[in-house]
Amino acid sequence: MTAGATGAASYDWRFDSGRICLDLMATAETAAEGREALAQAGRLGRWLVGAGLVPAGTALPALDIGWVARFVELRDCVGQLVRAQIDGRRAESALERVNALAAGAPPAIRAVPDGDGSLVRALSAAPECGALLAAIARDTVDLLTDPAARARLRQCEGDNCRRVYLDTSRGRRRRWCSSEVCGNRERVARHRRRTAAAHL
C-alpha cells in the first residue's frame, strides 16, 4: 500500500474513546453487525492514520490482508481484556497474547520540519505490522495497569452501543461514547417521548 492509499477517504472513523486501544476496540461495533470495519488493507491503512499511529503520507508497502487478520486478533484480545476489567473477571489467554505483542518494539519516531519549518512527527522507516501491534498492545497494558485510568473506563449508555471509553470529564459524569452521536440520539429520543406524552 502506498502513501496515497492511506490518505483521506469517505470513511467516517470516530476517535473519541480516549485511547488508541479503545479506538481499535470500537471498530468491532460494525463487525457485530456483519460489516467488518477493517475488512480490507486500505481500510486498515486509513484507520492507522486516523488513530495517529501512522503519520499521514507514510508509505506502508507491506500492508496487506495478513495485517488485517493480526489487527482483528489484537482487537478481540483487547476487547476481552477491557470488558473483563469492567466486569471484574479474568481473561488469561487474551492477557497472555497482549503481553506477548507488547514485548515488541513500537515504531521508531523522529521529528522533522514541515513546509513552514514547524516540527512534525514522522516514522524513521516504514513500520512493520508487529511494531504497530506492539504500540497498541503497550497502550492496552498502560491503560489496564494504571488504577486511575482503569477506574475511568465506561460502557456507553446509548441504546445498542457497546463502545467503551475513558471518562475524563469533570465530575466523571460522561454517559456516552460521543455526545454528538449517542448523546444526541438520546436527547432526540427523550424529546420524542416528552412530545408523545404531551399529546396523550
Side-chain angles (χ1 to χ4, degrees), residues 47-149:
W47 184 86
L48 291 169
V49 172
L53 276 172
V54 174
T58 301
L60 296 172
L63 177 57
D64 61 16
I65 199 67
W67 284 38
V68 171
R70 293 175 70 185
F71 271 85
V72 168
E73 179 201 17
L74 175 57
R75 180 187 69 192
D76 293 345
C77 290
V78 171
Q80 290 172 42
L81 265 182
V82 169
R83 293 193 187 286
Q85 285 294 309
I86 291 172
D87 298 340
R89 295 181 289 105
R90 292 182 144 191
E92 295 298 336
S93 60
L95 178 61
E96 183 178 331
R97 185 63 181 140
V98 168
N99 280 335
L101 290 170
I109 61 171
R110 60 194 179 113
V112 298
D114 66 5
D116 66 3
S118 299
L119 293 179
V120 295
R121 185 173 65 97
L123 300 184
S124 298
E128 295 293 326
C129 183
L132 295 171
L133 293 170
I136 298 171
R138 287 178 178 216
D139 184 58
T140 307
V141 170
D142 287 344
L143 171 63
L144 297 181
T145 58
D146 178 344

Side-chain angles (χ1 to χ4, degrees), residues 144-158:
L144 297 181
T145 58
D146 178 344
R150 196 171 57 231
R152 294 179 184 139
L153 284 170
R154 301 284 186 273
Q155 165 75 52
C156 181
E157 294 181 24

Side-chain angles (χ1 to χ4, degrees), residues 9 17 19 25 30 45 48 56 75 85 112 123 147 151 179 199:
S17 301
R19 295 295 286 250
M25 191 176 150
T30 57
L48 291 169
R75 180 187 69 192
Q85 285 294 309
V112 298
L123 300 184
S179 180
H199 288 88

